[in-house]
Structure formats: C-alpha cells, structure tokens
Amino acid sequence: MIAPTQNTPGERMLELWRRTHTLPFGTRLFGILLGRLVPYSGSIAPRVLALEPGFARIELRDRPRLRNHLNSIHAIALANLGELTSGLAMTTVLTAGVKAIVTGIQIDYAKKARGRITAESRVTLPKLKSETEHVVRAEMRDESDAVVAQLAVRWRLRPE
C-alpha cells in the first residue's frame, strides 16, 4: 500500500509543472490542465511560461473572444490573468499548516492591452505567528514591454 502524500497544493502544482513543461507542447498541456483545475481561469486559455516557488510568468494570447468594444483585451480578462499569476506564485510558497484566502483585489490599467500580454509575479511569504494580511503584486506587459496593468491581491494568511 502506498502512503498518501501530504503535499501542499503548491507542491502538487509544481510537480505537475515539472512533469509537463518539458514535453512537446508541455506548456500548453499544463495550461489545459490548469484550466480544468481552476475552471474560471481556464476561460482565458493561459499559457504558463515559468513556474517555480514564489514566481510565475503567464502569457495571454490576444483573441477576438477576449476583446472589448475598444478593440483591446477586456479589463476583466487582464484581471483574471493577474489574479491567476499572483495566485500561482503565492500558492507555490504556502507551507503546510497555513490557510490563505483572497480578501481584495485592486487593478490599475495603464494603457490598452493588445497583442500577447505577459504577466509576472514574485512572492516572498512573511513569517507567520498570527493571522496577517499580505499583498501580492502582478505586472502585465505587452510585446513592446510596456506595462498595461498592475494588480495587487490582498491575502489573509493564518497559521493553523
């Protein structure tokens, strides 16, 4: 009999990434699996380019179904991308025994988003002695490397 693993969700996500991203079409496969695990985020068809503890880089391909009446990527699609990116980065650093929940999101739009958009987020988990709030940021850039949006996600972290 195999003993059940006590891996955190982040550890399981990193293991899935390690197993898939080097395969042919592996980043696309990981994106599909991620979309099944997190269905709403799958609606933007994200492509994870890099994932490691405390860091995520995700690409969003511009397509007609994500466009708004201004012929640019819809604000909520960008918010979805930023939240997914920051959430993956955060999830990969959460240790066993820490409960985390998003309590707020703020996004600032700098310019119309067109073309491929790449989001990045880096997270360092604070030392937890009691419940605390922690802000995780994600920045989204277009193909010319111009910032199109910045997102801040407020997390409530609580040791069990």
Side-chain angles (χ1 to χ4, degrees), residues 4-20 30 37 51-54 87-98 125:
T5 62
Q6 297 298 321
N7 293 344
T8 65
E11 289 169 335
R12 290 191 300 271
M13 191 65 67
L14 286 166
E15 181 59 27
L16 182 60
W17 171 253
R18 286 183 195 110
R19 288 179 176 206
T20 59
F30 183 83
L37 293 169
L51 184 63
E52 58 191 56
L88 272 178
M90 173 59 109
T91 300
T92 61
V93 294
L94 287 175
T95 57
V98 174
L125 194 63

Side-chain angles (χ1 to χ4, degrees), residues 6 18 34 54 111 123 128 156:
Q6 297 298 321
R18 286 183 195 110
L34 181 61
K111 66 177 274 192
V123 178
L128 297 176
R156 180 178 301 136

Side-chain angles (χ1 to χ4, degrees), residues 48-92:
V48 177
L49 302 175
L51 184 63
E52 58 191 56
F55 177 75
R57 180 183 306 121
I58 301 178
E59 180 181 83
L60 174 69
R61 189 174 44 89
D62 190 351
R63 348 187 246 301
R65 71 181 212 157
L66 297 179
R67 292 234 164 179
N68 60 23
H69 65 288
L70 301 172
N71 202 29
S72 60
I73 297 174
H74 196 283
I76 296 304
L78 290 173
N80 188 341
L81 173 64
E83 193 277 334
L84 177 62
T85 305
S86 63
L88 272 178
M90 173 59 109
T91 300
T92 61

Side-chain angles (χ1 to χ4, degrees), residues 95-117:
T95 57
V98 174
K99 294 286 186 186
I101 188 166
V102 172
T103 60
I105 296 176
Q106 177 183 335
I107 187 164
D108 295 311
Y109 301 98
K111 66 177 274 192
K112 289 180 184 175
R114 294 189 174 115
R116 289 186 190 272
I117 305 299

Side-chain angles (χ1 to χ4, degrees), residues 136-150:
V136 177
R137 300 184 189 288
E139 188 171 78
M140 290 152 271
R141 295 178 174 270
D142 64 16
E143 293 169 292
S144 71
D145 205 33
V147 174
V148 296
Q150 295 177 320

